[in-house]
Tab-separated table of all heavy atoms in Angstrom:
chain	number	residue	atom	x	y	z
A	1	GLN	N	-97.474	-52.642	-81.275
A	1	GLN	CA	-96.836	-52.163	-80.063
A	1	GLN	C	-97.315	-50.765	-79.742
A	1	GLN	O	-97.572	-49.963	-80.629
A	1	GLN	CB	-95.315	-52.207	-80.136
A	1	GLN	CG	-94.759	-51.708	-81.426
A	1	GLN	CD	-93.238	-51.818	-81.500
A	1	GLN	OE1	-92.679	-51.407	-82.477
A	1	GLN	NE2	-92.561	-52.337	-80.508
A	2	VAL	N	-97.495	-50.523	-78.451
A	2	VAL	CA	-97.833	-49.193	-77.956
A	2	VAL	C	-96.741	-48.836	-76.968
A	2	VAL	O	-96.478	-49.593	-76.037
A	2	VAL	CB	-99.207	-49.181	-77.266
A	2	VAL	CG1	-99.452	-47.841	-76.583
A	2	VAL	CG2	-100.312	-49.437	-78.279
A	3	LEU	N	-96.069	-47.715	-77.203
A	3	LEU	CA	-94.962	-47.311	-76.335
A	3	LEU	C	-95.327	-46.030	-75.602
A	3	LEU	O	-95.854	-45.093	-76.206
A	3	LEU	CB	-93.704	-47.060	-77.173
A	3	LEU	CG	-93.188	-48.281	-77.936
A	3	LEU	CD1	-92.116	-47.886	-78.919
A	3	LEU	CD2	-92.645	-49.313	-76.954
A	4	ILE	N	-95.055	-46.006	-74.329
A	4	ILE	CA	-95.271	-44.814	-73.522
A	4	ILE	C	-93.890	-44.248	-73.187
A	4	ILE	O	-92.998	-44.985	-72.778
A	4	ILE	CB	-95.987	-45.160	-72.193
A	4	ILE	CG1	-97.238	-46.012	-72.455
A	4	ILE	CG2	-96.291	-43.899	-71.402
A	4	ILE	CD1	-98.385	-45.306	-73.090
A	5	SER	N	-93.707	-42.946	-73.392
A	5	SER	CA	-92.403	-42.360	-73.093
A	5	SER	C	-92.604	-40.942	-72.573
A	5	SER	O	-93.716	-40.408	-72.589
A	5	SER	CB	-91.521	-42.359	-74.345
A	5	SER	OG	-92.169	-41.657	-75.385
A	6	GLU	N	-91.495	-40.341	-72.141
A	6	GLU	CA	-91.487	-38.944	-71.709
A	6	GLU	C	-92.603	-38.643	-70.715
A	6	GLU	O	-93.320	-37.645	-70.846
A	6	GLU	CB	-91.626	-38.013	-72.931
A	6	GLU	CG	-90.467	-38.140	-73.906
A	6	GLU	CD	-90.746	-37.434	-75.225
A	6	GLU	OE1	-91.343	-36.349	-75.195
A	6	GLU	OE2	-90.366	-37.971	-76.271
A	7	ALA	N	-92.767	-39.524	-69.730
A	7	ALA	CA	-93.830	-39.297	-68.745
A	7	ALA	C	-93.422	-38.192	-67.779
A	7	ALA	O	-92.310	-38.204	-67.237
A	7	ALA	CB	-94.105	-40.588	-67.982
A	8	GLY	N	-94.303	-37.223	-67.604
A	8	GLY	CA	-94.115	-36.179	-66.601
A	8	GLY	C	-95.268	-36.256	-65.621
A	8	GLY	O	-96.066	-37.192	-65.673
A	9	PRO	N	-95.395	-35.282	-64.724
A	9	PRO	CA	-96.512	-35.333	-63.776
A	9	PRO	C	-97.880	-35.160	-64.447
A	9	PRO	O	-98.870	-35.674	-63.955
A	9	PRO	CB	-96.235	-34.181	-62.808
A	9	PRO	CG	-94.999	-33.503	-63.251
A	9	PRO	CD	-94.435	-34.216	-64.438
A	10	HIS	N	-97.928	-34.431	-65.572
A	10	HIS	CA	-99.236	-34.110	-66.164
A	10	HIS	C	-99.393	-34.571	-67.599
A	10	HIS	O	-100.386	-34.253	-68.245
A	10	HIS	CB	-99.480	-32.593	-66.115
A	10	HIS	CG	-99.449	-32.056	-64.718
A	10	HIS	ND1	-100.415	-32.356	-63.795
A	10	HIS	CD2	-98.539	-31.278	-64.080
A	10	HIS	CE1	-100.117	-31.764	-62.643
A	10	HIS	NE2	-98.972	-31.123	-62.785
A	11	SER	N	-98.402	-35.282	-68.129
A	11	SER	CA	-98.511	-35.692	-69.532
A	11	SER	C	-97.592	-36.882	-69.791
A	11	SER	O	-96.697	-37.169	-69.003
A	11	SER	CB	-98.104	-34.545	-70.464
A	11	SER	OG	-96.723	-34.278	-70.311
A	12	PHE	N	-97.863	-37.576	-70.881
A	12	PHE	CA	-96.903	-38.558	-71.394
A	12	PHE	C	-97.106	-38.650	-72.901
A	12	PHE	O	-98.095	-38.171	-73.458
A	12	PHE	CB	-97.024	-39.933	-70.719
A	12	PHE	CG	-98.425	-40.479	-70.628
A	12	PHE	CD1	-99.070	-41.002	-71.731
A	12	PHE	CD2	-99.092	-40.487	-69.404
A	12	PHE	CE1	-100.354	-41.517	-71.634
A	12	PHE	CE2	-100.379	-40.997	-69.297
A	12	PHE	CZ	-101.022	-41.512	-70.415
A	13	HIS	N	-96.124	-39.264	-73.536
A	13	HIS	CA	-96.091	-39.378	-74.988
A	13	HIS	C	-96.491	-40.813	-75.323
A	13	HIS	O	-95.985	-41.750	-74.711
A	13	HIS	CB	-94.646	-39.079	-75.419
A	13	HIS	CG	-94.475	-38.992	-76.883
A	13	HIS	ND1	-93.896	-39.986	-77.625
A	13	HIS	CD2	-94.792	-38.011	-77.766
A	13	HIS	CE1	-93.864	-39.619	-78.905
A	13	HIS	NE2	-94.402	-38.426	-79.011
A	14	VAL	N	-97.412	-40.993	-76.270
A	14	VAL	CA	-97.843	-42.326	-76.691
A	14	VAL	C	-97.459	-42.494	-78.158
A	14	VAL	O	-97.743	-41.621	-78.977
A	14	VAL	CB	-99.381	-42.477	-76.586
A	14	VAL	CG1	-99.803	-43.903	-76.933
A	14	VAL	CG2	-99.880	-42.103	-75.209
A	15	SER	N	-96.806	-43.599	-78.486
A	15	SER	CA	-96.533	-43.881	-79.898
A	15	SER	C	-96.886	-45.331	-80.175
A	15	SER	O	-96.969	-46.150	-79.268
A	15	SER	CB	-95.071	-43.582	-80.248
A	15	SER	OG	-94.218	-44.314	-79.414
A	16	TRP	N	-97.105	-45.639	-81.447
A	16	TRP	CA	-97.539	-46.992	-81.802
A	16	TRP	C	-96.997	-47.356	-83.167
A	16	TRP	O	-96.563	-46.504	-83.931
A	16	TRP	CB	-99.078	-47.081	-81.788
A	16	TRP	CG	-99.737	-46.030	-82.613
A	16	TRP	CD1	-100.030	-46.080	-83.943
A	16	TRP	CD2	-100.159	-44.734	-82.165
A	16	TRP	NE1	-100.606	-44.901	-84.349
A	16	TRP	CE2	-100.704	-44.059	-83.278
A	16	TRP	CE3	-100.123	-44.086	-80.925
A	16	TRP	CZ2	-101.206	-42.768	-83.195
A	16	TRP	CZ3	-100.629	-42.792	-80.849
A	16	TRP	CH2	-101.165	-42.142	-81.969
A	17	ALA	N	-97.017	-48.641	-83.444
A	17	ALA	CA	-96.558	-49.169	-84.726
A	17	ALA	C	-97.347	-50.441	-85.023
A	17	ALA	O	-97.845	-51.071	-84.110
A	17	ALA	CB	-95.058	-49.482	-84.639
A	18	PRO	N	-97.453	-50.864	-86.266
A	18	PRO	CA	-97.008	-50.128	-87.453
A	18	PRO	C	-98.034	-49.082	-87.863
A	18	PRO	O	-99.159	-49.110	-87.380
A	18	PRO	CB	-96.938	-51.242	-88.496
A	18	PRO	CG	-98.034	-52.192	-88.102
A	18	PRO	CD	-98.071	-52.149	-86.593
A	19	VAL	N	-97.640	-48.177	-88.768
A	19	VAL	CA	-98.597	-47.249	-89.373
A	19	VAL	C	-99.006	-47.852	-90.709
A	19	VAL	O	-98.161	-48.215	-91.515
A	19	VAL	CB	-97.961	-45.859	-89.565
A	19	VAL	CG1	-98.881	-44.951	-90.359
A	19	VAL	CG2	-97.660	-45.239	-88.217
A	20	LEU	N	-100.309	-47.998	-90.930
A	20	LEU	CA	-100.802	-48.701	-92.117
A	20	LEU	C	-101.636	-47.778	-92.996
A	20	LEU	O	-102.384	-46.942	-92.499
A	20	LEU	CB	-101.678	-49.880	-91.673
A	20	LEU	CG	-100.975	-50.899	-90.775
A	20	LEU	CD1	-101.978	-51.767	-90.078
A	20	LEU	CD2	-100.024	-51.737	-91.595
A	21	ASP	N	-101.527	-47.981	-94.305
A	21	ASP	CA	-102.304	-47.163	-95.254
A	21	ASP	C	-103.808	-47.349	-95.087
A	21	ASP	O	-104.583	-46.462	-95.415
A	21	ASP	CB	-101.954	-47.557	-96.699
A	21	ASP	CG	-100.571	-47.055	-97.080
A	21	ASP	OD1	-100.050	-46.183	-96.364
A	21	ASP	OD2	-100.027	-47.545	-98.077
A	22	SER	N	-104.198	-48.535	-94.608
A	22	SER	CA	-105.635	-48.812	-94.545
A	22	SER	C	-106.303	-48.219	-93.303
A	22	SER	O	-107.485	-48.413	-93.089
A	22	SER	CB	-105.865	-50.321	-94.601
A	22	SER	OG	-105.041	-50.970	-93.658
A	23	VAL	N	-105.526	-47.499	-92.476
A	23	VAL	CA	-106.092	-46.893	-91.264
A	23	VAL	C	-106.514	-45.457	-91.551
A	23	VAL	O	-105.746	-44.664	-92.082
A	23	VAL	CB	-105.063	-46.921	-90.111
A	23	VAL	CG1	-105.597	-46.172	-88.893
A	23	VAL	CG2	-104.729	-48.353	-89.734
A	24	VAL	N	-107.764	-45.131	-91.220
A	24	VAL	CA	-108.275	-43.772	-91.414
A	24	VAL	C	-107.858	-42.894	-90.240
A	24	VAL	O	-107.446	-41.761	-90.399
A	24	VAL	CB	-109.816	-43.776	-91.495
A	24	VAL	CG1	-110.333	-42.374	-91.808
A	24	VAL	CG2	-110.289	-44.749	-92.535
A	25	SER	N	-107.996	-43.448	-89.033
A	25	SER	CA	-107.641	-42.662	-87.856
A	25	SER	C	-107.334	-43.605	-86.696
A	25	SER	O	-107.651	-44.797	-86.744
A	25	SER	CB	-108.796	-41.729	-87.466
A	25	SER	OG	-109.916	-42.487	-87.072
A	26	TYR	N	-106.682	-43.043	-85.694
A	26	TYR	CA	-106.443	-43.776	-84.451
A	26	TYR	C	-107.207	-43.067	-83.339
A	26	TYR	O	-107.242	-41.835	-83.296
A	26	TYR	CB	-104.952	-43.782	-84.098
A	26	TYR	CG	-104.111	-44.573	-85.061
A	26	TYR	CD1	-103.454	-43.946	-86.111
A	26	TYR	CD2	-103.967	-45.954	-84.922
A	26	TYR	CE1	-102.673	-44.666	-87.004
A	26	TYR	CE2	-103.187	-46.678	-85.808
A	26	TYR	CZ	-102.546	-46.030	-86.845
A	26	TYR	OH	-101.788	-46.749	-87.718
A	27	GLN	N	-107.807	-43.861	-82.457
A	27	GLN	CA	-108.434	-43.287	-81.281
A	27	GLN	C	-107.607	-43.705	-80.073
A	27	GLN	O	-107.306	-44.885	-79.901
A	27	GLN	CB	-109.862	-43.803	-81.121
A	27	GLN	CG	-110.801	-43.189	-82.131
A	27	GLN	CD	-112.201	-43.753	-82.021
A	27	GLN	OE1	-112.415	-44.777	-81.399
A	27	GLN	NE2	-113.144	-43.075	-82.640
A	28	ILE	N	-107.221	-42.723	-79.277
A	28	ILE	CA	-106.457	-43.005	-78.071
A	28	ILE	C	-107.398	-42.785	-76.894
A	28	ILE	O	-107.864	-41.674	-76.655
A	28	ILE	CB	-105.212	-42.086	-77.958
A	28	ILE	CG1	-104.161	-42.368	-79.050
A	28	ILE	CG2	-104.478	-42.332	-76.639
A	28	ILE	CD1	-104.485	-42.297	-80.412
A	29	LEU	N	-107.713	-43.880	-76.201
A	29	LEU	CA	-108.570	-43.799	-75.014
A	29	LEU	C	-107.679	-43.878	-73.796
A	29	LEU	O	-106.776	-44.726	-73.744
A	29	LEU	CB	-109.563	-44.965	-74.966
A	29	LEU	CG	-110.783	-44.887	-75.882
A	29	LEU	CD1	-110.405	-45.110	-77.309
A	29	LEU	CD2	-111.830	-45.884	-75.450
A	30	TYR	N	-107.915	-43.023	-72.810
A	30	TYR	CA	-107.086	-43.088	-71.609
A	30	TYR	C	-107.913	-42.698	-70.394
A	30	TYR	O	-108.815	-41.871	-70.474
A	30	TYR	CB	-105.850	-42.179	-71.746
A	30	TYR	CG	-106.171	-40.717	-71.953
A	30	TYR	CD1	-106.160	-39.818	-70.876
A	30	TYR	CD2	-106.485	-40.235	-73.216
A	30	TYR	CE1	-106.464	-38.478	-71.076
A	30	TYR	CE2	-106.785	-38.904	-73.414
A	30	TYR	CZ	-106.776	-38.022	-72.345
A	30	TYR	OH	-107.091	-36.702	-72.526
A	31	GLY	N	-107.610	-43.361	-69.292
A	31	GLY	CA	-108.308	-43.064	-68.048
A	31	GLY	C	-107.519	-43.630	-66.889
A	31	GLY	O	-106.755	-44.594	-67.058
A	32	PRO	N	-107.684	-43.031	-65.684
A	32	PRO	CA	-106.937	-43.501	-64.518
A	32	PRO	C	-107.415	-44.872	-64.061
A	32	PRO	O	-108.578	-45.208	-64.216
A	32	PRO	CB	-107.227	-42.433	-63.462
A	32	PRO	CG	-108.490	-41.764	-63.902
A	32	PRO	CD	-108.556	-41.891	-65.387
A	33	LEU	N	-106.479	-45.648	-63.531
A	33	LEU	CA	-106.810	-46.950	-62.915
A	33	LEU	C	-106.704	-46.797	-61.408
A	33	LEU	O	-105.747	-46.197	-60.929
A	33	LEU	CB	-105.810	-48.010	-63.365
A	33	LEU	CG	-105.909	-48.487	-64.816
A	33	LEU	CD1	-104.734	-49.379	-65.146
A	33	LEU	CD2	-107.201	-49.238	-65.039
A	34	PRO	N	-107.581	-47.353	-60.596
A	34	PRO	CA	-108.870	-47.878	-61.062
A	34	PRO	C	-109.791	-46.720	-61.375
A	34	PRO	O	-109.525	-45.600	-60.966
A	34	PRO	CB	-109.369	-48.667	-59.843
A	34	PRO	CG	-108.762	-47.956	-58.674
A	34	PRO	CD	-107.432	-47.416	-59.142
A	35	GLY	N	-110.853	-46.951	-62.069
A	35	GLY	CA	-111.778	-45.877	-62.396
A	35	GLY	C	-112.363	-46.120	-63.761
A	35	GLY	O	-111.911	-46.986	-64.493
A	36	ASN	N	-113.402	-45.378	-64.085
A	36	ASN	CA	-114.028	-45.601	-65.388
A	36	ASN	C	-114.256	-44.292	-66.126
A	36	ASN	O	-115.092	-44.214	-67.004
A	36	ASN	CB	-115.354	-46.367	-65.229
A	36	ASN	CG	-116.232	-45.720	-64.175
A	36	ASN	OD1	-115.972	-44.594	-63.757
A	36	ASN	ND2	-117.267	-46.425	-63.757
């Protein structure tokens, strides 16, 4: 699950689950729709 919360005009909070020991890092990619 990916949850978006606390959205303001210039920011929002992203959280995800589960957190696993086998993960080295998370990459969060974001961009406006439509657009690339």
